Structures are given as C-alpha cells and as structure tokens.
Amino acid sequence: MFDAVLRGLRLIGRNVIDRIWRLGYASRFFAAVLMHSGTALRRYNLTIREIYFAGVLSLIIISVSGLFVGMVLGLQGYDTLQRYGSSDSLGVLVALSLVRELGPVVAGLLFASRAGSAITAEIGLMKATEQITAMEMMAVDPIARVVAPRFWGGVISMPLLAALFSALGVFGGWLVGVVLIGVDDGSFWAQMQAAVDFRQDIVNGVIKSAVFGMAVAWIAVFEGYDAIPTAEGVSRATTRTVVTSSLAILALDFVLTAFMFRGI
Amino acid sequence: MNRATIDLWVGIFVALGLAALLVLALKVGNLASANISDTYTVQANFANIGGLKVRAPVKSSGVVVGRVAGISFDAKEYHAVVSLQIDRRYEFPRDTIPSILTSGLLGEQYIGLEVGGDPKVLKDGDTFKITQSAVVLEKLISQFLFDKAAEGEPKKPAAAGAETK
C-alpha cells in the first residue's frame, strides 16, 4: 500500500522532471539555432530552398482554404446580419474576423500540418539514416547546415501565407456577399475600410502570424532533431509536431489577443 | 529541380505575399485615408461623453477632420476632458460648438463640429467654450414618458381616446 503510493509519487516526479528537462533542452536548441543563423542567412540559397518547400508548396492549400473560409463567412455572416437589418456591415465582419483571427490561426494550423510535419520527417529521417552523424564527422555543423535554414524558411513563409489567406478570404467574402447575394458593393468596402485599422488590426495580425511561424518552425525542427532514430520514432515525432504546434498556436493566440485587443 | 526554377517560384511567392499585405493595408484597412500627419490639439469639456472612444472621428459637415486623441476626467470640475487632434489644413472659428453624435441608430459615436461665426480661429491648446453632451438613451426615454404623463394628466378622456385609435 505504502509502496504503491511511493511508486505513484515517483512516477509523477519523473514525468515532471522529464517535461522540464525537455523544455530546457528545446530552449537551448532554440538558442543554438539562433546562434548558427548567421551562416544560414549568409548562404541564403539554402534558406531560399527551404522557403520553396515550406512556402511555395503550401500556396495551393492556403489559397483554396482562404477562399473557402471567406466564402463561408460571407454566407453565414449574411444570414445572421440580415436578421438585424445590417447586412451592409458584412464587409466589416468578414475582414475583421479574417485579419485578426482566422487568417493567422487557420493558416498557422495548415502550415503546421503541411510544412511542419514535412520538416520533422525530413530531419528525423536524416538522423535515422545517420546523415547528421556523417555531417558531424565531416566537421559540418548540422544545426547551421540543416536546421537553421529550415527554421528561417518557416519563419519567413508564415506571415506571407497568412496575409495571402486573409486577402483571398476577403475576396471570397466579397464574391459571395456582393456578386452572389447582392450586398451593395460600395457599402461593403466603405464600412470595411472605416472599421479596419491598419496598426490595430492588420499589423497585429502580421505580428501574430510571425509569432506562430516562429513557434511552428521551432517545434518542427526540434522534434525532428530530437526524434528517436527509428521508423517508429520518426512517425511519433511527426505526430507530436502537429499536435504540439497546433496547441501552441491556439494558446499563443489567446495570450496575444488578450494583450492586443483588450483595450478596445 | 534546378536553382533558377526554385528562385523564380520563391520570387513569385514573396511577391504574392507582399501584394496580399498591400491589398490588406490599402483596400481592406484605412491606411490610404488615415494619414492625418500635421495636427493641432484642442480641448473640449463635456458633462457626459456617452460611449465616445479614443480614436473616434471628429467630423464637420460629415467630413472627417480629426480624431479624438485622449479622454480624461477632471476631478475638480467633475466633467470629462476630451482632447481633439484636428488636421492643420482646417481652421475653425473660436465659437465652434462640438457635440457628441451617433452615426446611425446604434452606430459608433463621433464628435460633430457646428461651425460658428467668430473671425478669430482656434489655436493649439485652446478650449471650446460651449459644448453639447452625448444624448443618453435612458434619460431621453424617461423624459419622453414624463412628458407623456404630464400632458395626459389634465384631460384623461382625450388621451385614452387617442390610445385606442
């Protein structure tokens, strides 16, 4: 009985210590990536290659999702707003919800599952096939050569993808609201422009997406680098990347929103 | 995939992203219209500001001429002090009356400037002499009910007749 309690307590203690150790390890890894970023940015064609894999190849899914999210917002928003006789503010609803929340968050979630998982799998597989060890043998720093370009590729791609998502979403909302349903074109844009503030809404949205991009890229490269070098370990690391970065995006979004939009 | 193709695609991607940001700033946001840079500040004291917020527009004849820069409470005189930033291109006579108005039935509140006829104009740091406070809906309704009751008191049958019609 007493032994069972002790064993339970020991289990809790070991789990907590493991978590904290892992968090510290991830932070030190993050610092190492930042310190080795100089090489990655100087040899910028490495980073450009990663922007291609993380950003350009995500264009299709981001564009299509943005368009459809905007179109659904147009339909649902119109249905609710016309009950209160204010369907003219459809533009405000679509633009504010996209620029402030849906753009950064949904683009971040898509980015985590499309690009983050690919980064983890790639680095994990490099580790499993001992390419990373081989690099160390050749005195090539794997963090500078492999990890940092992937990190910066993700950080640079994410705000651009979120901006595209929001812009296409507004276009989708316009398509449904103005072209399909027949909300007045002038009041759609005029009310939107009166309500959306550049600094308060758009810049804050871009800051959000940059923070999410940094979080997703960090988690993705860390999970890949830390993966157990077996087929099962890589598959687990990929799953962890998607789960952890999705949760991180939602939690960070709450914190950032509380700081940015509490005053109004 | 060779180097030139990757460079081209990344170039297209970055250009698309920046274009989207530009569209958001100019077409969706108000960056194109909100560049009031050179301003002067005047104070206005209101007995009640209702739901006025910082950054609310200041309009004259319906045109935006400035923004509300700050709202504070004067604990000596017990009134609200609102500072208005007005575009330097526009000058207003000293007896201009600012009033807190509402756009639409339930829209946002803004300050409307009713222009006076004084030849002297307002300068930086001046205070408006006469102001008109926000209309509080509850007070308006209670006044309306009070008036109705007062006019209904003496001739009750007529009021009752009017109601059944």
Side-chain angles (χ1 to χ4, degrees):
Chain A
M1 174 64 199
F2 187 65
D3 260 13
V5 171
L6 265 187
R7 214 178 305 133
L9 280 175
R10 219 173 268 145
L11 200 71
I12 295 171
R14 195 171 62 220
N15 266 323
V16 169
I17 290 172
D18 275 1
R19 291 274 152 84
I20 293 173
W21 184 84
R22 213 173 135 73
L23 191 67
Y25 182 43
S27 308
R28 279 179 54 195
F29 183 75
F30 184 54
V33 169
L34 287 186
M35 263 158 51
H36 289 87
S37 295
T39 337
L41 296 178
R42 216 163 32 243
R43 293 178 61 188
Y44 60 92
N45 52 341
L46 286 178
T47 310
I48 283 181
R49 219 181 114 80
E50 296 313 321
I51 294 178
Y52 178 80
F53 285 121
V56 176
L57 296 182
S58 309
L59 270 180
I60 305 266
I61 188 171
I62 291 281
S63 317
V64 173
S65 318
L67 200 64
F68 275 90
V69 165
M71 279 159 62
V72 169
L73 266 180
L75 282 174
Q76 294 281 15
Y78 179 79
D79 183 52
T80 308
L81 285 174
Q82 56 100 17
R83 291 183 205 184
Y84 303 99
S86 52
S87 54
D88 282 347
S89 357
L90 183 65
V92 180
L93 176 91
V94 170
L96 274 187
S97 39
L98 274 167
V99 169
R100 281 185 176 185
E101 290 296 332
L102 287 176
V105 171
V106 178
L109 294 176
L110 289 173
F111 183 75
S113 32
R114 164 68 187 74
S117 57
I119 291 174
T120 307
E122 198 183 0
I123 298 180
L125 211 62
M126 279 175 137
K127 199 179 172 191
T129 50
E130 296 185 334
Q131 293 181 45
I132 293 202
T133 324
M135 273 183 189
E136 277 169 353
M137 296 280 283
M138 291 187 287
V140 175
D141 187 354
I143 290 187
R145 177 65 180 78
V146 172
V147 174
R150 280 166 180 73
F151 175 76
W152 284 108
V155 171
I156 294 169
S157 302
M158 182 55 213
L160 298 171
L161 288 173
L164 256 172
F165 187 97
S166 300
L168 279 167
V170 170
F171 174 70
W174 174 82
L175 216 59
V176 164
V178 175
V179 179
L180 205 69
I181 298 178
V183 174
D184 182 52
D185 189 38
S187 57
F188 183 88
W189 291 111
Q191 294 218 14
M192 184 193 297
Q193 281 164 11
V196 180
D197 186 60
F198 178 71
R199 223 158 284 129
Q200 188 68 45
D201 297 320
I202 295 173
V203 171
N204 276 349
V206 173
I207 292 173
K208 266 188 183 179
S209 56
V211 172
F212 296 164
M214 208 165 269
V216 170
W218 174 28
I219 292 169
V221 291
F222 175 70
E223 290 291 359
Y225 200 78
D226 189 47
I228 300 161
T230 57
E232 198 195 350
V234 174
S235 105
R236 274 200 191 165
T238 314
T239 311
R240 264 208 308 270
T241 295
V242 176
V243 172
T244 316
S245 43
S246 303
L247 290 177
I249 285 173
L250 295 173
L252 280 172
D253 183 48
F254 176 75
V255 174
L256 287 175
T257 307
F259 273 108
M260 286 168 173
F261 299 112
R262 195 180 40 186
I264 28 175
Chain B
M1 185 158 298
N2 66 3
R3 181 71 197 285
T5 323
I6 287 180
D7 282 358
L8 176 69
W9 274 108
V10 171
I12 291 171
F13 167 60
V14 172
L16 270 178
L18 292 180
L21 213 59
L22 203 70
V23 166
L24 286 179
L26 296 180
K27 185 82 181 165
V28 177
N30 54 1
L31 190 64
S33 58
N35 51 354
I36 303 173
S37 50
D38 206 10
T39 58
Y40 62 99
T41 308
V42 286
Q43 309 278 335
N45 302 328
F46 290 98
N48 189 334
I49 60 163
L52 190 73
K53 298 213 171 62
V54 175
R55 286 197 54 75
V58 177
K59 295 182 184 178
S60 184
S61 312
V63 181
V64 177
V65 296
R67 299 248 165 228
V68 172
I71 298 170
S72 56
F73 182 67
D74 184 345
K76 282 207 184 89
E77 306 271 339
Y78 299 110
H79 57 215
V81 181
V82 177
S83 53
L84 313 175
Q85 278 186 338
I86 298 175
D87 195 326
R88 213 171 263 288
R89 285 177 297 174
Y90 308 118
E91 289 181 327
F92 290 96
R94 284 208 309 186
D95 55 350
T96 297
I97 303 174
S99 42
I100 297 176
L101 306 169
T102 310
S103 55
L105 192 59
L106 297 165
E108 57 163 357
Q109 291 195 300
Y110 65 97
I111 291 187
L113 297 179
E114 205 69 47
V115 178
D118 197 317
K120 284 182 187 156
V121 293
L122 283 166
K123 286 189 192 62
D124 196 49
D126 281 0
T127 304
F128 288 105
K129 288 200 188 70
I130 314 164
T131 62
Q132 199 184 334
S133 285
V135 174
V136 178
L137 209 58
E138 285 87 341
K139 277 187 187 166
L140 203 69
I141 291 169
S142 70
Q143 196 176 359
F144 174 76
L145 290 176
F146 189 72
D147 285 357
K148 260 288 188 242
E151 82 182 32
E153 279 293 312
K155 31 180 183 172
K156 227 172 193 169
E163 251 171 272
T164 48
K165 227 184 343 182

mmCIF file of all heavy atoms in Angstrom, chain B residues 106-133:
data_model
loop_
_atom_site.group_PDB
_atom_site.id
_atom_site.type_symbol
_atom_site.label_atom_id
_atom_site.label_comp_id
_atom_site.label_asym_id
_atom_site.label_seq_id
_atom_site.Cartn_x
_atom_site.Cartn_y
_atom_site.Cartn_z
ATOM 1 N N LEU B 106 -27.622 52.802 -33.884
ATOM 2 C CA LEU B 106 -26.802 52.156 -32.852
ATOM 3 C C LEU B 106 -25.332 52.178 -33.228
ATOM 4 O O LEU B 106 -24.538 51.378 -32.738
ATOM 5 C CB LEU B 106 -27.246 50.703 -32.678
ATOM 6 C CG LEU B 106 -28.676 50.517 -32.198
ATOM 7 C CD1 LEU B 106 -29.130 49.102 -32.413
ATOM 8 C CD2 LEU B 106 -28.811 50.901 -30.743
ATOM 9 N N GLY B 107 -24.939 53.091 -34.114
ATOM 10 C CA GLY B 107 -23.571 53.095 -34.616
ATOM 11 C C GLY B 107 -22.592 53.679 -33.620
ATOM 12 O O GLY B 107 -22.915 53.949 -32.467
ATOM 13 N N GLU B 108 -21.346 53.883 -34.086
ATOM 14 C CA GLU B 108 -20.322 54.416 -33.204
ATOM 15 C C GLU B 108 -20.556 55.910 -32.988
ATOM 16 O O GLU B 108 -21.192 56.579 -33.788
ATOM 17 C CB GLU B 108 -18.942 54.181 -33.816
ATOM 18 C CG GLU B 108 -18.807 54.799 -35.191
ATOM 19 C CD GLU B 108 -17.370 54.947 -35.647
ATOM 20 O OE1 GLU B 108 -16.471 54.624 -34.869
ATOM 21 O OE2 GLU B 108 -17.166 55.413 -36.756
ATOM 22 N N GLN B 109 -20.010 56.445 -31.883
ATOM 23 C CA GLN B 109 -20.192 57.854 -31.584
ATOM 24 C C GLN B 109 -19.020 58.661 -32.109
ATOM 25 O O GLN B 109 -17.888 58.177 -32.150
ATOM 26 C CB GLN B 109 -20.360 58.034 -30.082
ATOM 27 C CG GLN B 109 -21.679 57.441 -29.639
ATOM 28 C CD GLN B 109 -22.092 57.891 -28.270
ATOM 29 O OE1 GLN B 109 -21.390 57.655 -27.318
ATOM 30 N NE2 GLN B 109 -23.241 58.540 -28.170
ATOM 31 N N TYR B 110 -19.308 59.858 -32.573
ATOM 32 C CA TYR B 110 -18.263 60.728 -33.093
ATOM 33 C C TYR B 110 -18.554 62.150 -32.640
ATOM 34 O O TYR B 110 -19.603 62.427 -32.055
ATOM 35 C CB TYR B 110 -18.196 60.651 -34.623
ATOM 36 C CG TYR B 110 -19.415 61.176 -35.338
ATOM 37 C CD1 TYR B 110 -19.446 62.480 -35.837
ATOM 38 C CD2 TYR B 110 -20.535 60.376 -35.525
ATOM 39 C CE1 TYR B 110 -20.564 62.969 -36.486
ATOM 40 C CE2 TYR B 110 -21.651 60.855 -36.174
ATOM 41 C CZ TYR B 110 -21.663 62.159 -36.657
ATOM 42 O OH TYR B 110 -22.771 62.637 -37.294
ATOM 43 N N ILE B 111 -17.588 63.062 -32.876
ATOM 44 C CA ILE B 111 -17.781 64.450 -32.481
ATOM 45 C C ILE B 111 -18.075 65.259 -33.737
ATOM 46 O O ILE B 111 -17.310 65.212 -34.717
ATOM 47 C CB ILE B 111 -16.538 64.983 -31.748
ATOM 48 C CG1 ILE B 111 -16.437 64.284 -30.389
ATOM 49 C CG2 ILE B 111 -16.612 66.487 -31.575
ATOM 50 C CD1 ILE B 111 -15.375 64.832 -29.495
ATOM 51 N N GLY B 112 -19.183 65.951 -33.739
ATOM 52 C CA GLY B 112 -19.536 66.817 -34.857
ATOM 53 C C GLY B 112 -19.244 68.262 -34.479
ATOM 54 O O GLY B 112 -19.533 68.687 -33.361
ATOM 55 N N LEU B 113 -18.618 69.003 -35.402
ATOM 56 C CA LEU B 113 -18.298 70.409 -35.118
ATOM 57 C C LEU B 113 -19.318 71.302 -35.824
ATOM 58 O O LEU B 113 -19.448 71.257 -37.047
ATOM 59 C CB LEU B 113 -16.885 70.739 -35.599
ATOM 60 C CG LEU B 113 -15.741 69.970 -34.929
ATOM 61 C CD1 LEU B 113 -14.415 70.379 -35.532
ATOM 62 C CD2 LEU B 113 -15.727 70.202 -33.431
ATOM 63 N N GLU B 114 -20.062 72.086 -35.020
ATOM 64 C CA GLU B 114 -21.016 73.054 -35.570
ATOM 65 C C GLU B 114 -20.278 74.386 -35.660
ATOM 66 O O GLU B 114 -19.930 74.982 -34.647
ATOM 67 C CB GLU B 114 -22.224 73.162 -34.625
ATOM 68 C CG GLU B 114 -23.481 73.619 -35.278
ATOM 69 C CD GLU B 114 -24.044 72.587 -36.242
ATOM 70 O OE1 GLU B 114 -24.119 71.401 -35.860
ATOM 71 O OE2 GLU B 114 -24.367 72.987 -37.374
ATOM 72 N N VAL B 115 -20.024 74.839 -36.886
ATOM 73 C CA VAL B 115 -19.131 75.979 -37.068
ATOM 74 C C VAL B 115 -19.846 77.277 -36.690
ATOM 75 O O VAL B 115 -21.004 77.487 -37.044
ATOM 76 C CB VAL B 115 -18.641 76.034 -38.529
ATOM 77 C CG1 VAL B 115 -17.750 77.238 -38.750
ATOM 78 C CG2 VAL B 115 -17.914 74.750 -38.871
ATOM 79 N N GLY B 116 -19.134 78.158 -35.933
ATOM 80 C CA GLY B 116 -19.695 79.436 -35.521
ATOM 81 C C GLY B 116 -19.296 80.554 -36.475
ATOM 82 O O GLY B 116 -18.924 80.303 -37.622
ATOM 83 N N GLY B 117 -19.334 81.813 -35.992
ATOM 84 C CA GLY B 117 -19.062 82.934 -36.883
ATOM 85 C C GLY B 117 -17.956 83.875 -36.400
ATOM 86 O O GLY B 117 -17.749 84.935 -36.975
ATOM 87 N N ASP B 118 -17.237 83.458 -35.342
ATOM 88 C CA ASP B 118 -16.176 84.315 -34.797
ATOM 89 C C ASP B 118 -15.036 84.464 -35.817
ATOM 90 O O ASP B 118 -14.600 83.472 -36.396
ATOM 91 C CB ASP B 118 -15.642 83.660 -33.506
ATOM 92 C CG ASP B 118 -14.865 84.652 -32.659
ATOM 93 O OD1 ASP B 118 -14.077 85.412 -33.236
ATOM 94 O OD2 ASP B 118 -15.050 84.637 -31.420
ATOM 95 N N PRO B 119 -14.553 85.682 -36.072
ATOM 96 C CA PRO B 119 -13.437 85.829 -37.018
ATOM 97 C C PRO B 119 -12.139 85.220 -36.501
ATOM 98 O O PRO B 119 -11.277 84.837 -37.296
ATOM 99 C CB PRO B 119 -13.298 87.345 -37.178
ATOM 100 C CG PRO B 119 -14.004 87.932 -36.019
ATOM 101 C CD PRO B 119 -15.067 86.979 -35.610
ATOM 102 N N LYS B 120 -11.966 85.135 -35.164
ATOM 103 C CA LYS B 120 -10.742 84.513 -34.628
ATOM 104 C C LYS B 120 -10.867 82.990 -34.706
ATOM 105 O O LYS B 120 -11.949 82.438 -34.473
ATOM 106 C CB LYS B 120 -10.540 84.938 -33.175
ATOM 107 C CG LYS B 120 -10.018 86.360 -33.054
ATOM 108 C CD LYS B 120 -9.806 86.694 -31.602
ATOM 109 C CE LYS B 120 -9.456 88.155 -31.430
ATOM 110 N NZ LYS B 120 -9.787 88.636 -30.090
ATOM 111 N N VAL B 121 -9.740 82.315 -35.000
ATOM 112 C CA VAL B 121 -9.797 80.859 -35.140
ATOM 113 C C VAL B 121 -9.145 80.186 -33.931
ATOM 114 O O VAL B 121 -8.373 80.792 -33.197
ATOM 115 C CB VAL B 121 -9.101 80.383 -36.434
ATOM 116 C CG1 VAL B 121 -9.859 80.858 -37.656
ATOM 117 C CG2 VAL B 121 -7.645 80.816 -36.450
ATOM 118 N N LEU B 122 -9.495 78.904 -33.722
ATOM 119 C CA LEU B 122 -8.934 78.101 -32.629
ATOM 120 C C LEU B 122 -7.461 77.815 -32.894
ATOM 121 O O LEU B 122 -7.070 77.531 -34.018
ATOM 122 C CB LEU B 122 -9.676 76.766 -32.544
ATOM 123 C CG LEU B 122 -11.053 76.776 -31.906
ATOM 124 C CD1 LEU B 122 -11.754 75.484 -32.226
ATOM 125 C CD2 LEU B 122 -10.950 76.969 -30.409
ATOM 126 N N LYS B 123 -6.665 77.888 -31.809
ATOM 127 C CA LYS B 123 -5.240 77.565 -31.943
ATOM 128 C C LYS B 123 -4.901 76.359 -31.082
ATOM 129 O O LYS B 123 -5.719 75.910 -30.274
ATOM 130 C CB LYS B 123 -4.397 78.772 -31.512
ATOM 131 C CG LYS B 123 -4.429 79.873 -32.530
ATOM 132 C CD LYS B 123 -3.408 80.939 -32.169
ATOM 133 C CE LYS B 123 -3.622 82.177 -33.016
ATOM 134 N NZ LYS B 123 -4.975 82.777 -32.770
ATOM 135 N N ASP B 124 -3.688 75.851 -31.253
ATOM 136 C CA ASP B 124 -3.227 74.707 -30.474
ATOM 137 C C ASP B 124 -3.360 74.991 -28.978
ATOM 138 O O ASP B 124 -2.909 76.027 -28.497
ATOM 139 C CB ASP B 124 -1.758 74.436 -30.832
ATOM 140 C CG ASP B 124 -1.311 73.069 -30.378
ATOM 141 O OD1 ASP B 124 -2.036 72.102 -30.675
ATOM 142 O OD2 ASP B 124 -0.254 72.981 -29.740
ATOM 143 N N GLY B 125 -4.022 74.101 -28.232
ATOM 144 C CA GLY B 125 -4.153 74.256 -26.794
ATOM 145 C C GLY B 125 -5.396 74.995 -26.347
ATOM 146 O O GLY B 125 -5.631 75.115 -25.144
ATOM 147 N N ASP B 126 -6.180 75.506 -27.273
ATOM 148 C CA ASP B 126 -7.407 76.216 -26.904
ATOM 149 C C ASP B 126 -8.469 75.246 -26.391
ATOM 150 O O ASP B 126 -8.352 74.034 -26.536
ATOM 151 C CB ASP B 126 -7.964 76.967 -28.124
ATOM 152 C CG ASP B 126 -7.210 78.271 -28.359
ATOM 153 O OD1 ASP B 126 -6.293 78.543 -27.573
ATOM 154 O OD2 ASP B 126 -7.542 78.966 -29.324
ATOM 155 N N THR B 127 -9.509 75.845 -25.757
ATOM 156 C CA THR B 127 -10.615 75.036 -25.269
ATOM 157 C C THR B 127 -11.912 75.572 -25.865
ATOM 158 O O THR B 127 -12.084 76.797 -25.978
ATOM 159 C CB THR B 127 -10.684 75.101 -23.730
ATOM 160 O OG1 THR B 127 -9.421 74.699 -23.213
ATOM 161 C CG2 THR B 127 -11.759 74.193 -23.187
ATOM 162 N N PHE B 128 -12.797 74.667 -26.237
ATOM 163 C CA PHE B 128 -14.102 75.095 -26.747
ATOM 164 C C PHE B 128 -14.919 75.722 -25.631
ATOM 165 O O PHE B 128 -14.887 75.247 -24.489
ATOM 166 C CB PHE B 128 -14.860 73.892 -27.313
ATOM 167 C CG PHE B 128 -14.305 73.369 -28.605
ATOM 168 C CD1 PHE B 128 -13.573 72.197 -28.632
ATOM 169 C CD2 PHE B 128 -14.542 74.046 -29.796
ATOM 170 C CE1 PHE B 128 -13.064 71.713 -29.829
ATOM 171 C CE2 PHE B 128 -14.047 73.563 -30.995
ATOM 172 C CZ PHE B 128 -13.305 72.394 -31.006
ATOM 173 N N LYS B 129 -15.656 76.812 -25.946
ATOM 174 C CA LYS B 129 -16.426 77.488 -24.900
ATOM 175 C C LYS B 129 -17.727 76.752 -24.605
ATOM 176 O O LYS B 129 -18.087 76.516 -23.461
ATOM 177 C CB LYS B 129 -16.734 78.922 -25.349
ATOM 178 C CG LYS B 129 -15.497 79.804 -25.332
ATOM 179 C CD LYS B 129 -15.900 81.277 -25.284
ATOM 180 C CE LYS B 129 -14.683 82.153 -25.474
ATOM 181 N NZ LYS B 129 -14.175 82.066 -26.872
ATOM 182 N N ILE B 130 -18.458 76.417 -25.663
ATOM 183 C CA ILE B 130 -19.743 75.744 -25.477
ATOM 184 C C ILE B 130 -19.648 74.343 -26.084
ATOM 185 O O ILE B 130 -19.083 74.185 -27.159
ATOM 186 C CB ILE B 130 -20.877 76.511 -26.196
ATOM 187 C CG1 ILE B 130 -20.770 78.011 -25.907
ATOM 188 C CG2 ILE B 130 -22.235 75.977 -25.784
ATOM 189 C CD1 ILE B 130 -21.593 78.844 -26.853
ATOM 190 N N THR B 131 -20.163 73.362 -25.359
ATOM 191 C CA THR B 131 -20.184 72.010 -25.920
ATOM 192 C C THR B 131 -21.568 71.423 -25.711
ATOM 193 O O THR B 131 -22.362 71.917 -24.900
ATOM 194 C CB THR B 131 -19.169 71.095 -25.228
ATOM 195 O OG1 THR B 131 -19.516 70.985 -23.851
ATOM 196 C CG2 THR B 131 -17.754 71.601 -25.375
ATOM 197 N N GLN B 132 -21.835 70.358 -26.476
ATOM 198 C CA GLN B 132 -23.109 69.669 -26.311
ATOM 199 C C GLN B 132 -22.837 68.203 -26.030
ATOM 200 O O GLN B 132 -22.168 67.533 -26.814
ATOM 201 C CB GLN B 132 -23.933 69.825 -27.586
ATOM 202 C CG GLN B 132 -25.396 69.559 -27.349
ATOM 203 C CD GLN B 132 -26.187 69.630 -28.636
ATOM 204 O OE1 GLN B 132 -25.786 70.302 -29.576
ATOM 205 N NE2 GLN B 132 -27.279 68.923 -28.686
ATOM 206 N N SER B 133 -23.347 67.727 -24.883
ATOM 207 C CA SER B 133 -23.008 66.376 -24.430
ATOM 208 C C SER B 133 -23.727 65.318 -25.248
ATOM 209 O O SER B 133 -24.597 65.615 -26.062
ATOM 210 C CB SER B 133 -23.391 66.210 -22.969
ATOM 211 O OG SER B 133 -22.466 66.895 -22.180
#
